[in-house]
Amino acid sequence: MKTSHLSASAIKLSVLIPAFDEEKTLPILVTELLRQATAAGALHPHDEVEIVIASDDGVDYASLLPKDPRLVFCSPLVKTGPAVARTRALHAATGSHIVPIDADDTVSATFIPSVLQALKSSLAVATRARYRRDGQVIRALT
């Protein structure tokens, strides 16, 4: 069995989310990520997950999301672009590992537990993306 230097160490995963005009989609994504982080805690009790949100439209997304200590909010700015917002989230992150994700993305039902498990055996993890419009896959990266 392959072992890794990470297997005995606790992992702190920071999920970085830039947000622009995402009042409808961000709560759905964050609720799912928090649910998965809670479930992952039962599987990986020493690992932690934080979700770092960088508003790029001046919206205080904290008022739209559940009160949860795993949520971290960057000071809202306006129209700096997704790369700058993602970088602000990176600066606020305290995790040992990061996963960037867009606020209008969806994740599989086992996304967080799968990433945490993969990090136990690999320094880097790549995720697959499927871009959907109106329920139809318009592009898939595999």
Side-chain angles (χ1 to χ4, degrees), residues 44-57:
H44 308 280
H46 301 291
D47 297 336
E48 297 179 49
V49 175
E50 72 176 354
I51 301 167
V52 186
I53 299 164
S55 170
D56 198 36
D57 57 4

Side-chain angles (χ1 to χ4, degrees), residues 18-32:
F20 184 90
D21 195 24
E22 301 295 347
E23 291 89 342
K24 292 181 181 173
T25 58
L26 185 63
I28 296 166
L29 174 63
V30 168
T31 298
E32 177 61 15

Side-chain angles (χ1 to χ4, degrees), residues 68-132:
D68 192 295
R70 297 171 291 184
L71 296 180
V72 176
F73 297 93
C74 300
S75 297
L77 294 179
V78 178
K79 294 187 180 181
T80 61
V84 172
R86 196 173 288 110
T87 300
R88 288 189 299 117
L90 178 60
H91 285 290
T94 61
S96 57
H97 297 79
I98 63 158
V99 171
I101 190 167
D102 289 335
D104 62 349
D105 285 344
T106 58
V107 293
S108 69
T110 60
F111 178 74
I112 294 291
S114 296
V115 170
L116 290 172
Q117 186 60 40
L119 287 170
K120 297 293 184 183
S121 61
S122 177
L123 289 174
V125 175
T127 58
R128 294 187 311 165
R130 287 189 181 95
Y131 297 94
R132 295 178 184 265

